[in-house]
Amino acid sequence: MNSPVRKKGVLRTLAAALMLMMSGMALAEGSVDLSQSPEVSATPEGAIRMPKQQERMALNYVNQPPMIPHSVDGYQVTTNTNRCLQCHGVEHYRTTGAPRISPTHFMDSDGKVLSGVAPRRYFCLQCHVPQTDAPPIVENTFTPSQGFGK
């Protein structure tokens, strides 16, 4: 019998080999090195500015997490605090005018309804991203599902 430690070592080795193989294939195909892209700059002069507030963008596919139509600069989301819930939480959305957090965000992975936001849905920026009209870093040929994106 193989020990669990030995199995983990074998899995790590296989994962590392797969990553190396995939990166080699990407280089052979002439992939874009995003760290060298001239359109993206970490300097203040070239930084992409987020608008303070804008109209909400249309969704592009079923169950797409809505994009954030305002800047989130300085928002704190940690295990102890979530700035998003100060406007979007069930206690506040009526007074702030912000959309209410979806009921699905209160279900755990087993579908059990919780009294608070489920841990897997607590870190909003994992799924919801700020809108911007920044130019794409790489070519994008995605087209919205029929009836979406309008």
Side-chain angles (χ1 to χ4, degrees):
M1 280 250 178
N2 289 335
S3 72
V5 174
R6 183 179 169 109
K7 286 181 183 179
K8 282 184 183 179
V10 169
L11 288 175
R12 285 188 189 130
T13 303
L14 288 173
L18 181 61
M19 287 173 47
L20 283 171
M21 183 179 73
M22 290 175 64
S23 65
M25 288 174 19
L27 289 173
E29 292 173 4
S31 64
V32 176
D33 180 1
L34 297 179
S35 65
Q36 302 300 317
S37 178
E39 295 89 8
V40 179
S41 174
T43 64
E45 301 84 38
I48 296 169
R49 289 194 322 241
M50 296 299 304
K52 193 163 184 108
Q53 182 70 36
Q54 59 185 327
E55 293 297 314
R56 292 194 301 190
M57 291 181 164
L59 300 179
N60 292 305
Y61 55 90
V62 176
N63 294 328
Q64 174 186 349
M67 291 181 278
I68 303 168
H70 57 79
S71 175
V72 293
D73 287 346
Y75 275 39
Q76 185 177 20
V77 179
T78 67
T79 54
N80 297 323
T81 185
N82 182 329
R83 170 66 175 87
C84 303
L85 296 177
Q86 291 178 8
C87 294
H88 297 278
V90 293
E91 309 87 24
H92 307 288
Y93 79 96
R94 286 188 180 101
T95 57
T96 63
R100 180 181 53 85
I101 186 172
S102 168
T104 61
H105 289 55
F106 293 88
M107 292 182 202
D108 67 11
S109 57
D110 297 323
K112 179 182 172 194
V113 178
L114 307 173
S115 60
V117 176
R120 67 187 187 130
R121 298 289 186 103
Y122 182 80
F123 294 95
C124 308
L125 297 176
Q126 289 181 138
C127 299
H128 301 278
V129 296
Q131 300 176 162
T132 183
D133 58 358
I137 297 172
V138 295
E139 182 183 0
N140 181 359
T141 59
F142 175 82
T143 55
S145 297
Q146 188 173 2
F148 284 86
K150 296 177 182 174

